Amino acid sequence: YVGLTLALVLADEGYMVTGVDTDENRVSLLSAGTSYIHEVGLQELLREQANKNFKATTVMPDADVFIISVGTPIDIDEQGSKTPSFRYLELAIDSIAQHLKPGNLVVLRSTVPVGTCRDYVKKQLELKTGYTCGLDFHLSFAPERTAEGKAIKELRMLPQIIGGFNKDSLEATAAIFREITPVIVKVNSMEEAEMAKLI
């Protein structure tokens, strides 16, 4: 639900936002202006923005900015070892790779192990597109840090931490969040931002 909150807040600020979900029922509900989750103020925001600045679809569109906010559930093997699953992240990367163009920005917001942005997202996007991160496209980590029931309020009040692959990636991401968040905390790397999320 956190991805939906950000999508609607950005739409409320005038951005044209497309929410992508593989669940057709959720997409139908959102297109009709009905939220499938309970979050203070979210239903009203959706009603105002549905099919105006916000639309929902199951098909990844062309875009300038791709924001990934997917679950990373924990898998437990027969020995009891726990590892985060990237199955949803992989699906998102596959879809984005088909539409990524030079100059685009990719922002990861999901909870992931430190190093995921650089060692997994960057490498997968480069492998699937033939592009070079920092040259052909931008990449950053900007963690979601909101509590259920307060997501919209906290998104607009809490400082936003951003770690970019390079300075251009950092500044491109900051330019977006500056529209909705009063304080931007720029850290030195994507790994620092990932660690801040985990802590």
Side-chain angles (χ1 to χ4, degrees), residues 19-31 34 36-37 56-59 88 91:
V20 181
D21 198 306
T22 57
D23 188 321
E24 293 182 3
N25 291 329
R26 287 182 177 181
V27 169
S28 295
L29 285 170
L30 293 173
S31 297
T34 303
Y36 56 87
I37 58 164
T57 181
T58 57
V59 181
Y88 301 123
L91 288 172

Side-chain angles (χ1 to χ4, degrees), residues 47-140:
R47 197 175 294 121
E48 291 172 12
Q49 297 300 330
N51 302 308
K52 182 184 170 188
N53 288 348
F54 172 80
K55 68 176 183 176
T57 181
T58 57
V59 181
M60 182 70 70
D62 288 335
D64 296 320
V65 179
F66 298 92
I67 299 176
I68 304 173
S69 184
V70 296
T72 49
I74 300 296
D75 287 339
I76 304 174
D77 66 19
E78 293 176 0
Q79 286 74 39
S81 297
K82 300 176 182 179
T83 55
S85 170
F86 285 173
R87 57 184 176 269
Y88 301 123
L89 181 56
E90 183 179 3
L91 288 172
I93 291 170
D94 285 345
S95 295
I96 290 169
Q98 295 175 38
H99 296 269
L100 194 68
K101 292 181 175 56
N104 285 172
L105 168 65
V106 179
V107 182
L108 180 61
R109 288 177 70 74
S110 303
T111 303
V112 293
V114 174
T116 299
C117 243
R118 188 178 312 275
D119 298 333
Y120 186 76
V121 177
K122 171 187 172 290
K123 288 183 179 178
Q124 287 298 309
L125 286 172
E126 289 180 332
L127 181 66
K128 294 173 188 298
T129 64
Y131 292 153
T132 300
C133 185
L135 181 64
D136 298 309
F137 68 94
H138 306 298
L139 177 65
S140 65

Side-chain angles (χ1 to χ4, degrees), residues 10 15 65 67 105 107 171-181 184:
L10 287 171
Y15 287 94
V65 179
I67 299 176
L105 168 65
V107 182
E171 294 303 331
T173 308
I176 295 169
F177 283 97
R178 198 172 286 121
E179 298 294 322
I180 60 173
T181 307
I184 302 292

